[in-house]
Amino acid sequence: MDFLVKIQEVKACEREDAVFECVLSNPFSKINWFSKSLPVEAGEKFDIEVSEDKLIHRLVVKDCALTDKGIYAAVAGIKSCNAWLVVMRKYLFYIIYN
């Protein structure tokens, strides 16, 4: 099993949702997600989604706050990948991207 598509850096502004997505080479029913080296569980802050074929896995960081920024990781068996979540204040996001 390997990552065909690894998670990529996500940029979001405060109060928006951020989505990390990866694609596996073989079906895997549940991968482990981490935020700043701590395990992530589905709940009020996070949604964890898996496609029907169990190849596409998503982590949704809901209602992003500045404290959510940092490195997120997806771990499937002995394979892993990681990427940054960059959270920006709304007015700064607007100035940079408009």
Side-chain angles (χ1 to χ4, degrees):
M1 200 285 309
D2 208 351
F3 287 93
L4 295 178
V5 177
K6 296 180 177 184
I7 61 173
Q8 302 293 314
E9 179 180 283
V10 175
K11 291 183 175 135
C13 59
E14 290 177 295
R15 311 294 307 205
E16 290 183 346
D17 291 350
V19 180
F20 290 100
E21 181 176 280
C22 60
V23 180
L24 305 178
S25 60
N26 296 87
F28 215 81
S29 58
K30 182 179 185 275
I31 68 172
N32 294 307
W33 291 96
F34 294 86
S35 168
K36 303 170 201 158
S37 300
L38 299 173
V40 167
E41 297 293 332
E44 189 175 314
K45 187 63 183 172
F46 301 102
D47 279 337
I48 295 175
E49 304 169 355
V50 182
S51 63
E52 267 188 53
D53 61 10
K54 297 181 178 17
L55 295 175
I56 302 169
H57 294 257
R58 288 184 195 92
L59 172 68
V60 180
V61 183
K62 298 185 275 188
D63 192 25
C64 285
L66 293 175
T67 55
D68 295 319
K69 70 181 178 183
I71 296 178
Y72 287 73
V75 179
I78 61 169
K79 301 285 185 167
S80 67
C81 59
N82 58 59
W84 279 92
L85 170 58
V86 178
V87 180
M88 303 170 72
R89 295 188 186 277
K90 269 199 174 194
Y91 68 88
L92 184 59
F93 186 87
Y94 181 80
I95 291 169
I96 292 173
Y97 294 102
N98 284 312

